[in-house]
Amino acid sequence: DARVTALKLKSLRNEQRDAAEVDVELISEVLDQADHVDQLLHDLHSDDGWTLAKESKGVTVHYRREAGTSIHTIRAQTQFHNFEPKDFTKLCSLFVETECMPKWFPGGVMNKADVLSWHSKYSKVIQLHISLDLLPFLSSRDAIVYGNGYHLPAQNAFLIRSKSTQEDTCRYCEIPKAAKGIVRMDTESIFFVQLLQKDVISFKMIGRDDLKLKYIPAPLLNHIS
């Protein structure tokens, strides 16, 4: 629906009618995000380029090598059964409510998450505070992520994507520099939740985290992932 509306507005501007009222930058952003969501859905549902890593207890894990990095991208998928409507609402709230992030973040390594900008109903800029207890000499990490949520009514699903943003690429707020002794990491995550039946939910996720651990071999980090 957003793509259709944006294309209509773009056509209106091309016809030079009420062109001053049309936000060209917003139209371009909507079209770019629509194309990106299509690509994310392909990555979530297609096995193109993915290698099976493990299948156990109803959870299937794939990995994919990416150009220009030795860190693998990981995809995991499963189904939750015997769900009630209130359970689905609770699951949604875990992703929507920033203060809930430490409760479900993998490994329990997130101390807190601060909202830097909440500029629309489905879009935020968040600072993540991470503590790593793998080795005693590792510094704490943080990450600044730009998160977007997408309602997909045709699929009875929602999609959430978060990706690290840099200091000079965010137009919604000022990005703070990493505090002394804190290492800024890069992260990207995609979460897809679909209501298949009234009591069955499909859950899929894609993630790639670069913790900036220069002295730990990439194969070990990929194995841990």
Side-chain angles (χ1 to χ4, degrees):
D1 292 344
R3 179 190 280 119
V4 171
T5 301
L7 289 173
K8 287 181 178 178
L9 290 172
K10 185 177 182 181
S11 175
L12 177 65
R13 178 171 177 81
N14 292 339
E15 295 172 7
Q16 298 299 315
R17 296 200 306 268
D18 299 326
E21 299 180 6
V22 178
D23 189 328
V24 179
E25 186 175 353
L26 179 59
I27 291 174
S28 178
E29 181 177 350
V30 169
L31 293 175
D32 287 345
Q33 289 197 28
D35 291 340
H36 187 60
V37 167
D38 285 343
Q39 181 59 51
L40 293 178
L41 291 174
H42 177 270
D43 289 342
L44 284 162
H45 300 316
S46 170
D47 287 338
D48 293 347
W50 294 98
T51 300
L52 179 64
K54 184 179 181 181
E55 189 168 9
S56 176
K57 298 181 180 179
V59 179
T60 303
V61 179
H62 290 80
Y63 72 90
R64 182 175 68 191
R65 294 182 173 88
E66 305 289 354
T69 178
S70 56
I71 304 297
H72 290 168
T73 296
I74 305 299
R75 185 182 73 181
Q77 53 189 335
T78 190
Q79 288 187 2
F80 302 126
H81 295 263
N82 300 318
F83 254 66
E84 297 182 8
K86 64 179 182 180
D87 297 323
F88 184 69
T89 303
K90 291 178 180 178
L91 180 61
C92 293
S93 71
L94 288 177
F95 294 96
V96 174
E97 299 177 20
T98 305
E99 60 270 23
C100 290
M101 292 184 68
K103 297 181 181 296
W104 57 262
F105 196 82
V109 297
M110 183 185 297
N111 292 333
K112 64 174 182 174
D114 297 324
V115 177
L116 303 181
S117 173
W118 194 343
H119 41 274
S120 76
K121 185 176 182 180
Y122 299 108
S123 187
K124 299 179 184 179
V125 180
I126 303 171
Q127 183 175 16
L128 311 178
H129 301 270
I130 309 294
S131 290
L132 299 176
D133 297 325
L134 297 174
L135 295 171
F137 57 83
L138 290 180
S139 301
S140 294
R141 262 64 179 165
D142 83 343
I144 309 294
V145 298
Y146 177 35
N148 288 294
Y150 306 94
H151 180 214
L152 307 172
Q155 301 186 42
N156 207 19
F158 68 84
L159 174 73
I160 294 176
R161 184 246 190 179
S162 68
K163 181 177 174 61
S164 289
T165 185
Q166 306 303 318
E167 294 179 18
D168 57 348
T169 61
C170 182
R171 62 188 180 93
Y172 300 106
C173 64
E174 183 177 349
I175 302 299
K177 295 184 180 297
K180 184 177 181 181
I182 303 296
V183 177
R184 180 147 295 167
M185 58 178 279
D186 288 328
T187 181
E188 181 173 11
S189 300
I190 299 100
F191 302 97
F192 177 83
V193 180
Q194 183 179 29
L195 188 61
L196 298 177
Q197 304 172 23
K198 66 178 182 179
D199 62 345
V200 180
I201 289 176
S202 172
F203 178 83
K204 299 182 180 183
M205 68 161 292
I206 294 176
R208 191 184 76 84
D209 298 317
D210 184 355
L211 298 174
K212 305 299 182 181
L213 299 170
K214 64 174 63 177
Y215 299 115
I216 297 181
L220 177 58
L221 294 177
N222 290 328
H223 177 73
I224 294 174
S225 298

